[in-house]
């Protein structure tokens, strides 16, 4: 009897949560707002000060305000935030697209520096923010927070959002800087989420050497297995499409396989409690290196633009939601009686972010410069400042982690948690809007377009034989355009390169391995028997 | 106090339903199965007997069986069916793609016949199945069903699924037949759903003339407003993209606008309690006629294939689910004590489907033939049999409507409802597998490839000046390839056509209106200033 009553209650609840007409209303409104963001973002594109993220934030804020007024101050949200929505549907396309569109050669050439910034740097920033927060907050009356909470705060505020900076930086003018900021952004996201998840599983309260060691072991294990899972899934997709040559029958099937396999890699990582972000990122890299070349030309165009579109929409969706959620009355009423505390907490966090990032960008740049031989490859001071600035914005990952930690399904009931949520919102809004709007003037001040310093940021010497094709191809936005000059490395001038830059040797060994063992099995560039005329030229629409 | 307890219970339930690791497991399994269906479907493509739908059904059945064994007979499902999943996420891409890829000229040339079959025919079939079910079931012991339930059964089993037939028919060999079967399928889906929804809102028990009349009024109102909403949304998207010329900055933005506006049209229809199916279908037609021509070449390729891929994946998803759900133990235990009843009910329903369809296909074909002047335009008897056969399969729409009517969120507790659900599953499985597998032999028997009767099914006289370009262009699968010969209608031979076929006059008037009023505002073919060389040729990869 009790079971059947429970069953019917459960059934009713499920119906209310899914079949309600209200959910149709909110979805319609949300889709309409997404359209509005795209159109307005397009209109504002001429002035590159405003980007889509800030537009979406503002539209979200306005909508939240209107809903707040019409609902008589009851609620400002039309969708309850769920980490699942974010981590299962919105984040995977963004990260996969990042891996799919990354300029692989630049990325792997600066791989060590990127990992240094993204992993070691994030760990440094995490420690500084955690300890700083513990130090400052323990004497403030903001409700109870334990050691685990402080470490979580460190992880939450170590997750950067470099979208604003990347929109301002020019990939062709400053390739080194672009690849560093971009690569660091991805590795940083992954590191923060891995840190956050690793923390969740550990009993931080009784911290000792064994636990710290096993924590580090767990961290590196996660890093390695997640990467391998992504690589393997990507290779599997390449193998299937090459072996069956699906495009002979249908382009749609190829596109479907690529999308589903990419998503599968993410879900498998989540299934095995690994880092889906890392997995899907490396799956994207492998797919763009092998799978993408095994499909028909129309599948290539479709996947390239479809993945970019998903990522684009997911990003706008997140910022729109963050803007709308910022006015949610439930969280603010906990802090409304002491607005000073909230401002103080947010300011302290912003200060810690500024300091925590400076504390690793400049020392690690110095370290990285020590390993470089030629002055052209070193990271100049102005570039260091740009890198520092690029990682000051906090975005959707911070929000999602904060919601995960301090709310249960979008609702807060403890004062300490409410304070942390409102502070996160404040930090995200402030850093995205204020730091974001300052990025363009700062970059044009530090890296003027006519100056020689911009050109010198190219790690390849301007006289090198493969600079020109690299720059030429930079415009069509091919996922792998820089790979096309791979064969040129074996030319006479490579002896000098071999001596001065050891990464080129690694690259050459990899090319050899790739050509001998990988490509015969997994396809890759030049595999598919295409129409005789090169399809490359046709693609520059 | 009670409110806060309820709140925390609600919060917990929401967490269980979304954040559970079990949902990650089931999603991973589902995505992996989708991949398997595509790969296996590709391998089986050589023999066109098996299509992706039947493959997905079988894989779903096998998976359900394995889950049933491993869970010890407890459950065979990994996802609880929700009509929302079906009606909000899976159906819109399928129907939109149908409108987007339809050969508009063929569709509109046969518009009257299509509406005759799709709307009037479905109504006839609905009346026959409803009354037949009432007649046969009232003396059988299958639990209580009221008048509304019988009318709902009529609507559920009037929704055809012509996927199998369309996969066998050749669009270029039998264009009239293809466009009739395809068009009828879409209009039939819309009619069934509109009927079903209209029934839900009416008090059928006290049926009289006023209610019947207001029901018909409501039905036509729904039909008209839904169509207009779709047309208007499509035109809006064309206007926005033409006015702003978004592609100048980014292809992704164009693709995103098209996807979001298409989805918006569906959601708005649902918001206003209209028929989303009709809306999104006409939105697709308008988008392929105007919007698609206003975007860049890469956006065209991307949207064409991305929409087709979504539709393809959604279709497989549905069949996979239906197969998996067929073994769900909960429903079968209600009927397991009397297997005879279940078989009897299913057989009666199958018989009613066969008869109900014959009762309108042959008379309406006769009516349609009366209006045609030339024997080439008439629907021959063999073609009538093919049309009759094409609509015998029942698929996902029937399942979704049955779930909507006879379960609450995927669970059944009344015996009458359980019987109806199992009968629906039986009818869907039997008709899809048995009728589906018989389709290919039947079509090759009725419409042999070498025979002259196949060629004569072409409504355009073989000597007509625009037959050849039509057939030539049929291969590149352009959403609007048949439009390209629009200008030729005004040639000398059109006088004869004008006298014999009045639809061509309507078409010419429409072309004139389109060229004079619509295209200057909404763009359309030839709008975008492209690269000098015709981009058409580049697209035949």
């Amino acid at each position: 009897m009790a079971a059947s009553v429970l069953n019917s209650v459960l059934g009713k609840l499920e119906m209310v949560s899914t079949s309600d007409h209200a959910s149709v209303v909110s979805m319609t409104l949300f889709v309409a707002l997404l359209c509005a963001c795209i159109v307005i973002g397009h209109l504002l594109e001429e002035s590159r000060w405003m980007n889509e993220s800030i537009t979406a934030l503002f539209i979200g804020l306005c909508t939240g305000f209107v809903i707040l007024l019409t609902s008589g101050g009851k609620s400002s949200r039309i969708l309850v935030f769920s980490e699942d929505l974010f981590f299962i549907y919105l984040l995977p396309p963004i990260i996969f697209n990042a891996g799919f569109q990354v300029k692989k050669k630049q990325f792997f050439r600066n791989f060590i520096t990127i990992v240094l910034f993204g992993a070691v740097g994030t760990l440094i920033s995490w420690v500084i923010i955690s300890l700083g927060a513990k130090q400052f907050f323990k004497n403030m009356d903001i409700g109870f927070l334990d050691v685990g909470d402080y470490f979580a705060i460190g992880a939450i505020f170590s997750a950067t959002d470099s979208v604003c900076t990347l929109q301002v930086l020019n990939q062709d003018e400053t390739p080194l800087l672009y690849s560093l900021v971009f690569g660091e952004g991805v590795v940083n996201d992954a590191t923060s989420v891995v840190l956050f998840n690793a923390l969740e599983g550990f009993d931080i309260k009784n911290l000792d050497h064994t636990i710290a060691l096993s924590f580090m072991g767990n961290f590196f294990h996660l890093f390695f297995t997640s990467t391998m899972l992504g690589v393997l899934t990507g290779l599997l997709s390449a193998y299937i499409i090459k072996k069956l040559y699906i495009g002979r029958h249908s382009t749609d099937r190829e596109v479907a396989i690529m999308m589903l396999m990419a998503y599968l890699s993410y879900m498998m990582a989540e299934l095995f409690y690994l880092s889906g972000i890392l997995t899907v990122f490396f799956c994207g890299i492998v797919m763009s290196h092998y799978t993408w070349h095994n499909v028909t030309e129309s599948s290539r165009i479709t996947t390239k633009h479809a993945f970019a579109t998903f990522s684009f929409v997911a990003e706008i969706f997140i910022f729109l939601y963050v803007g709308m959620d910022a006015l949610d009355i439930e969280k603010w009423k906990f802090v409304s009686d002491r607005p000073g505390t909230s401002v103080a907490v947010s300011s302290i966090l912003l200060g810690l972010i500024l300091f925590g990032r400076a504390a690793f960008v400049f020392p690690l740049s110095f370290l990285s410069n020590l390993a470089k031989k030629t002055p052209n490859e070193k990271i100049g001071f102005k570039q260091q400042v740009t890198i520092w600035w690029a990682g000051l914005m906090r975005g959707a990952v911070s929000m999602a982690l904060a919601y995960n930690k301090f709310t249960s399904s979008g609702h807060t009931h403890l004062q300490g948690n409410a304070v942390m949520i409102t502070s996160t919102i404040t930090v995200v809004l402030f850093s995205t809007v204020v730091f974001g709007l300052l990025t363009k003037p700062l970059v044009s001040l530090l890296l003027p377009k006519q100056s020689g310093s911009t050109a010198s940021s190219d790690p390849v010497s301007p006289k090198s034989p493969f600079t020109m094709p690299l720059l030429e191809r930079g415009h069509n936005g091919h996922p792998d355009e820089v790979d096309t000059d791979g064969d040129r490395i074996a030319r006479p001038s490579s002896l000098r390169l071999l001596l001065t830059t050891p990464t080129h040797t690694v690259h050459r060994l990899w090319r050899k391995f790739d050509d001998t063992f990988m490509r015969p099995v997994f396809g890759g560039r030049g595999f598919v028997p295409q129409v005789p005329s090169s399809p490359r030229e046709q693609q520059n629409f």
Side-chain angles (χ1 to χ4, degrees), chain A residues 356-375:
Chain A
R357 191 161 174 84
F360 78 81
V361 168
F362 300 105
L364 291 180
S365 299
F366 178 74
L367 268 181
S368 168
N369 283 344
L370 282 185
K372 299 283 165 70
K373 303 288 187 299
T374 58

Side-chain angles (χ1 to χ4, degrees), chain A residues 75-204:
Chain A
S75 163
S76 78
R77 304 189 287 186
I78 51 175
L79 283 177
V80 174
F81 191 89
S82 86
E83 310 100 58
D84 269 30
L85 177 70
F86 179 73
F87 279 111
I88 293 191
Y89 301 106
L90 298 176
L91 198 57
I94 295 178
I95 305 291
F96 176 78
N97 187 55
F100 197 71
Q101 316 270 0
V102 74
K103 296 200 168 194
K104 289 190 295 295
K105 199 170 199 170
Q106 276 290 339
F107 181 81
F108 284 112
R109 180 175 286 158
N110 304 311
F111 191 69
I112 296 167
T113 317
I114 286 171
V115 170
L116 209 61
F117 279 126
V120 181
T122 306
L123 287 175
I124 293 174
S125 158
W126 168 60
V127 171
I128 289 176
I129 295 176
S130 302
L131 297 182
K134 192 164 184 299
Q135 198 60 35
F136 287 113
F137 292 169
K138 69 177 174 193
N139 296 325
M140 291 168 71
D141 176 27
I142 54 162
F144 178 72
L145 295 170
D146 65 19
V147 188
D149 290 339
Y150 287 117
F151 280 123
I153 290 171
I156 290 167
F157 291 102
S158 296
T160 65
D161 187 342
S162 37
V163 173
C164 292
T165 316
L166 288 178
Q167 287 185 342
V168 173
L169 287 181
N170 188 318
Q171 186 156 200
D172 300 317
E173 284 174 11
T174 54
L176 170 66
L177 202 56
Y178 190 93
S179 84
L180 284 183
V181 170
F182 178 90
E184 194 222 314
V186 174
V187 180
N188 163 283
D189 277 354
T191 312
S192 314
V193 177
V194 170
L195 254 179
F196 188 84
N197 286 338
L199 282 168
E200 293 276 278
F202 270 81
D203 182 19
I204 301 292

Side-chain angles (χ1 to χ4, degrees), chain A residues 323-385:
Chain A
M324 211 175 286
D325 196 66
L327 289 174
D328 183 49
I329 211 74
E330 190 191 81
K331 302 174 197 80
W332 291 105
K333 70 180 174 217
F334 281 96
V335 290
S336 56
D337 45 341
R338 276 167 307 150
T341 316
S342 185
V343 172
V345 169
S346 306
S347 313
I348 290 169
L349 286 170
L350 276 169
L352 286 172
I353 289 170
L354 286 163
F355 175 70
R357 191 161 174 84
F360 78 81
V361 168
F362 300 105
L364 291 180
S365 299
F366 178 74
L367 268 181
S368 168
N369 283 344
L370 282 185
K372 299 283 165 70
K373 303 288 187 299
T374 58
N376 278 342
E377 285 182 320
K378 298 196 176 183
I379 308 167
F381 181 70
K382 285 177 174 180
Q383 294 175 322
Q384 292 178 23
V385 174

Side-chain angles (χ1 to χ4, degrees), chain A residues 6 54 134 199 247 251 269 283 295 341 398 401 441 505 527:
Chain A
L6 185 68
I54 301 182
K134 192 164 184 299
L199 282 168
T251 287
C283 182
V295 299
T341 316
S398 299
L401 293 179
T505 328
F527 157 71

Side-chain angles (χ1 to χ4, degrees), chain A residues 167-390:
Chain A
Q167 287 185 342
V168 173
L169 287 181
N170 188 318
Q171 186 156 200
D172 300 317
E173 284 174 11
T174 54
L176 170 66
L177 202 56
Y178 190 93
S179 84
L180 284 183
V181 170
F182 178 90
E184 194 222 314
V186 174
V187 180
N188 163 283
D189 277 354
T191 312
S192 314
V193 177
V194 170
L195 254 179
F196 188 84
N197 286 338
L199 282 168
E200 293 276 278
F202 270 81
D203 182 19
I204 301 292
K205 276 151 209 149
N206 339 318
L207 193 69
D208 63 16
H209 278 281
T210 343
I211 286 183
L213 232 95
S214 104
F215 177 76
M216 290 314 281
N218 192 18
F219 181 80
F220 285 112
H221 173 77
L222 267 183
F223 235 97
F224 180 74
T225 43
S226 304
T227 306
M228 283 317 292
L229 181 64
V231 170
L232 288 178
T233 320
L235 287 178
L236 181 65
S237 77
Y239 185 76
I240 289 176
I241 288 183
K242 181 185 170 235
K243 209 69 193 166
L244 302 180
Y245 193 21
I246 290 174
R248 203 169 28 194
H249 296 298
S250 142
T251 287
D252 308 333
R253 219 171 254 155
E254 286 181 344
V255 178
I257 283 271
M258 281 179 78
M259 285 185 185
L260 289 172
M261 294 282 286
Y263 196 62
L264 186 63
S265 77
Y266 187 87
M267 291 309 293
M268 284 202 318
E270 293 292 308
L271 184 67
F272 300 132
Y273 299 99
L274 301 175
S275 162
I277 293 186
L278 270 177
T279 305
V280 84
F281 178 71
F282 279 95
C283 182
I285 288 182
V286 171
M287 276 204 179
S288 82
H289 189 66
Y290 296 109
T291 321
W292 194 74
H293 291 287
N294 298 352
V295 299
T296 61
E297 189 67 28
S298 35
S299 299
R300 285 182 213 176
I301 298 174
T302 306
T303 47
K304 193 179 112 191
H305 290 293
F307 291 147
T309 305
F310 290 152
S311 164
F312 174 68
V313 172
E315 239 165 52
I316 299 178
F317 190 102
I318 291 170
F319 279 100
L320 190 57
Y321 180 80
V322 169
M324 211 175 286
D325 196 66
L327 289 174
D328 183 49
I329 211 74
E330 190 191 81
K331 302 174 197 80
W332 291 105
K333 70 180 174 217
F334 281 96
V335 290
S336 56
D337 45 341
R338 276 167 307 150
T341 316
S342 185
V343 172
V345 169
S346 306
S347 313
I348 290 169
L349 286 170
L350 276 169
L352 286 172
I353 289 170
L354 286 163
F355 175 70
R357 191 161 174 84
F360 78 81
V361 168
F362 300 105
L364 291 180
S365 299
F366 178 74
L367 268 181
S368 168
N369 283 344
L370 282 185
K372 299 283 165 70
K373 303 288 187 299
T374 58
N376 278 342
E377 285 182 320
K378 298 196 176 183
I379 308 167
F381 181 70
K382 285 177 174 180
Q383 294 175 322
Q384 292 178 23
V385 174
T386 312
I387 293 172
W388 172 68
W389 187 266

